[in-house]
Amino acid sequence: MSDLIQEILQILEQYFIYLYPGFVTIFIYLFTKAKSMKMDKILIISSIVISYVYVLIYRLIKGYNGLSDFKGYDYVIILLISILCPLIWHSISRSKWIEPVLNSININTTIENNVWDYIHYRDKDKKGIVLKVFLDDKDIMYEGSLRYHESDIAKKQTICLSGYRRYVKENGTFVAKQDYNNDNSRWVMLDAANIDRVEIKYDSDK
């Protein structure tokens, strides 16, 4: 019985390489996107596919016939690759030239998952894109720089504005009631579910 258990453990140890590199890559990728990881069948399958690709390419480069050729340092190298790949992709996806390159080959889609990601990441200089946020049910409008938004759609969607002004609608006109335009230490957090519309001000070349 002990021999059987030991054999099973050896098999699991050998073929675990077809799971953990992909799992690590997905975890780091989601972390850079500020998104949580959901443990489900899709995650397991994705981890196996990514891991298999890593192992296949590594075997081709090294000229290995199979996992039996792997040494201890090979597993470490693949682990490092699984860490570096999502970090490199995140850096590329946030570079200023990624959109011009996509547009040059007539790819008009974006790499962001939601509209708030798209708005936020147009701010390449990290100065905060100015928004006018309307809460029509409350006759209130906020104007300020977008500093934070919740990227994970599984969580409550909120945004934060800094250096903001708060307007109240009176007789059909928005009147400023609070003005912290020159004070970036003042932030306001808004529930995205209460937002009716948003006006965005950004440079035309972004």
Side-chain angles (χ1 to χ4, degrees):
M1 184 67 179
S2 59
D3 292 338
L4 177 60
I5 294 175
Q6 186 176 1
E7 184 178 348
I8 292 174
L9 290 175
Q10 288 176 349
I11 294 173
L12 290 175
E13 181 180 357
Q14 184 178 15
Y15 289 97
F16 189 56
I17 195 172
Y18 286 117
L19 180 61
Y20 78 83
F23 186 89
V24 170
T25 291
I26 294 172
F27 175 81
I28 294 177
Y29 172 77
L30 292 176
F31 179 79
T32 62
K33 293 283 191 177
K35 302 182 189 305
S36 59
M37 178 181 284
K38 184 179 180 181
M39 299 296 295
D40 56 14
K41 185 185 298 184
I42 295 177
L43 173 63
I44 300 300
I45 295 174
S46 299
S47 298
I48 293 173
V49 171
I50 294 172
S51 299
Y52 181 80
V53 171
Y54 284 155
V55 172
L56 181 61
I57 293 175
Y58 187 78
R59 282 176 51 192
L60 290 174
I61 294 174
K62 297 286 288 187
Y64 289 166
N65 293 320
L67 294 180
S68 58
D69 294 331
F70 274 57
K71 306 296 190 296
Y73 64 84
D74 293 311
Y75 294 96
V76 175
I77 292 174
I78 290 181
L79 176 60
L80 292 176
I81 292 172
S82 70
I83 294 172
L84 289 175
C85 281
L87 295 177
I88 293 172
W89 169 245
H90 177 73
S91 178
I92 293 173
S93 66
R94 293 290 167 256
S95 65
K96 294 182 178 181
W97 52 265
I98 185 66
E99 284 192 7
V101 169
L102 292 176
N103 291 334
S104 68
I105 55 178
N106 295 321
I107 298 179
N108 297 318
T109 187
T110 67
I111 57 176
E112 283 82 21
N113 298 111
N114 57 65
V115 66
W116 291 114
D117 284 348
Y118 183 84
I119 295 172
H120 201 183
Y121 291 122
R122 301 288 73 70
D123 182 20
K124 302 298 185 182
D125 298 324
K126 306 299 181 184
K127 295 180 180 179
I129 292 179
V130 177
L131 303 181
K132 286 185 178 180
V133 180
F134 295 86
L135 284 65
D136 290 343
D137 290 343
K138 298 178 173 59
D139 289 332
I140 293 175
M141 186 264 286
Y142 288 92
E143 180 181 16
S145 299
L146 179 64
R147 295 297 184 182
Y148 169 82
H149 72 286
E150 177 55 64
S151 295
D152 194 341
I153 60 176
K155 298 180 180 178
K156 184 177 181 179
Q157 298 296 290
T158 57
I159 65 170
C160 289
L161 305 178
S162 70
Y164 68 93
R165 294 189 180 100
R166 178 178 176 271
Y167 298 83
V168 175
K169 196 171 188 178
E170 296 179 354
N171 299 321
T173 303
F174 282 105
V175 180
K177 294 296 184 179
Q178 293 174 304
D179 189 347
Y180 303 116
N181 181 53
N182 296 317
D183 185 1
N184 281 325
S185 66
R186 293 276 190 167
W187 290 34
V188 60
M189 183 171 69
L190 304 173
D191 186 344
N194 295 327
I195 298 174
D196 294 285
R197 68 186 189 279
V198 177
E199 293 182 5
I200 308 166
K201 181 181 179 181
Y202 60 95
D203 293 340
S204 60
D205 60 345
K206 289 186 179 179

